[in-house]
Amino acid sequence: MALESSVLSSEEFKAFAADYVMFAHVTTRIEGRKHDGLLSEKGGRGFPHLVALNQGGDVIATLTGGRSIDGFRQMMESGAKFEALKSKEDKTLDDEIFLLKHDIAMGNAKLDDAKARVAKLTGLSDAQKAELDGAILGLEVQASLPNSRDPDEAKAQIRTAGKKFSDWWAAGREPSTDSSAFDPYFMVMLDYAELEKDAALFEKALAKLQAKYADNPRAQRFFEAQAERLKKLQAGDGEDGDDMEDGEGDGE
């Protein structure tokens, strides 16, 4: 999805930008061009990749609140808060929770490390435990995703991951819609449901993706294809994974 030019040309964006140093980098893939690898160095995988940097050029926040002025503002405020808390000597429980969630979101805390940090936190409320479990779940999903290029092995991995995800879902463990784990969590369940010829699970998982992307016109072709898959499953004609769809729920 491209960044709407109307956002950047708005008076509201001009007012927002006055408080920050704006920097735009264009990757050209021209051999020998200085800093042409900046996108990948800062964790980017596609265009546009929007992040907040500190004075040293380190990424301190990523855009999670949507490509809007409010989303930009949320990103910058999150980055500023991270910088302030990182150097704070007497951190509160809320501070530790924020820093851990921030490190997870930035990819700076791996699963075992994140679990160890959670285990050290005492006095957590039920709400805080649920909040941290959601962050840990995102790491667990990413660690469980199928990654084999071999068709047979990929199907075996989908069955393993899909069974795990569906069990978690049944137990109430589900990534939030703004989590990077949300799409793959339900996409894998679609493929797993097709392999297991479970039309009910396929329909439920598809409904979660539709609820998130129903208003995105670029996702309509994707959902049309999923509707055909569901129709085959409901008729008992589903293939053993041969027709499984690839790609993100929003068609990007």
Side-chain angles (χ1 to χ4, degrees):
M1 183 189 303
L3 181 62
E4 293 289 343
S5 60
S6 59
V7 174
L8 302 182
S9 61
S10 69
E11 291 301 319
E12 188 179 5
F13 180 81
K14 292 177 183 178
F16 162 80
D19 294 328
Y20 303 100
V21 176
M22 298 289 120
F23 174 76
H25 171 76
V26 178
T27 300
T28 66
R29 295 189 175 89
I30 297 175
E31 187 174 350
R33 183 173 181 267
K34 188 176 181 181
H35 302 310
D36 207 47
L38 191 62
L39 175 67
S40 59
E41 291 171 14
K42 301 305 177 184
R45 296 181 180 178
F47 306 98
H49 180 60
L50 306 167
V51 297
L53 307 176
N54 62 13
Q55 289 182 333
D58 300 317
V59 178
I60 57 173
T62 56
L63 187 67
T64 59
R67 294 166 182 166
S68 64
I69 305 300
D70 286 342
F72 298 154
R73 186 173 290 110
Q74 179 182 332
M75 175 177 67
M76 301 309 295
E77 290 174 352
S78 177
K81 183 176 180 180
F82 171 74
E83 288 285 277
L85 292 183
K86 186 174 64 172
S87 58
K88 185 178 175 182
E89 291 188 8
D90 298 320
K91 298 180 179 64
T92 66
L93 182 58
D94 285 338
D95 293 341
E96 295 288 0
I97 292 172
F98 176 86
L99 290 171
L100 175 53
K101 288 184 63 182
H102 192 280
D103 281 341
I104 290 174
M106 297 294 297
N108 295 329
K110 303 306 179 186
L111 181 56
D112 290 343
D113 173 52
K115 286 184 174 180
R117 287 171 64 176
V118 170
K120 292 179 181 179
L121 299 178
T122 59
L124 291 169
S125 67
D126 289 342
Q128 289 170 327
K129 289 177 182 177
E131 183 181 2
L132 289 172
D133 182 63
I136 294 294
L137 176 60
L139 293 178
E140 291 177 325
V141 169
Q142 295 299 329
S144 303
L145 292 178
N147 57 14
S148 177
R149 294 182 179 276
D150 178 78
D152 292 332
E153 186 176 349
K155 286 182 183 179
Q157 290 180 346
I158 288 168
R159 281 192 162 99
T160 299
K163 176 65 166 62
K164 183 185 296 183
F165 294 173
S166 61
D167 287 346
W168 285 344
W169 195 19
R173 298 189 77 207
E174 171 187 332
S176 62
T177 55
D178 61 354
S179 167
S180 61
F182 181 91
D183 288 6
Y185 184 80
F186 288 106
M187 290 290 291
V188 167
M189 267 196 276
L190 292 182
D191 291 342
Y192 169 70
E194 185 173 50
L195 286 171
E196 296 298 309
K197 304 189 187 307
D198 188 340
L201 177 61
F202 190 101
E203 188 171 19
K204 285 175 59 181
L206 181 59
K208 296 295 295 189
L209 291 166
Q210 287 173 322
K212 178 178 179 180
Y213 292 111
D215 295 332
N216 185 342
R218 295 187 62 189
Q220 296 315 303
R221 288 180 60 189
F222 169 82
F223 287 122
E224 289 169 4
Q226 304 321 301
E228 287 300 314
R229 293 173 75 189
L230 177 58
K231 183 191 254 184
K232 288 183 180 181
L233 278 177
Q234 291 172 331
D237 299 330
E239 298 292 334
D240 187 24
D242 292 337
D243 293 332
M244 291 188 300
E245 299 288 337
D246 295 322
E248 296 293 322
D250 62 355
E252 290 191 70

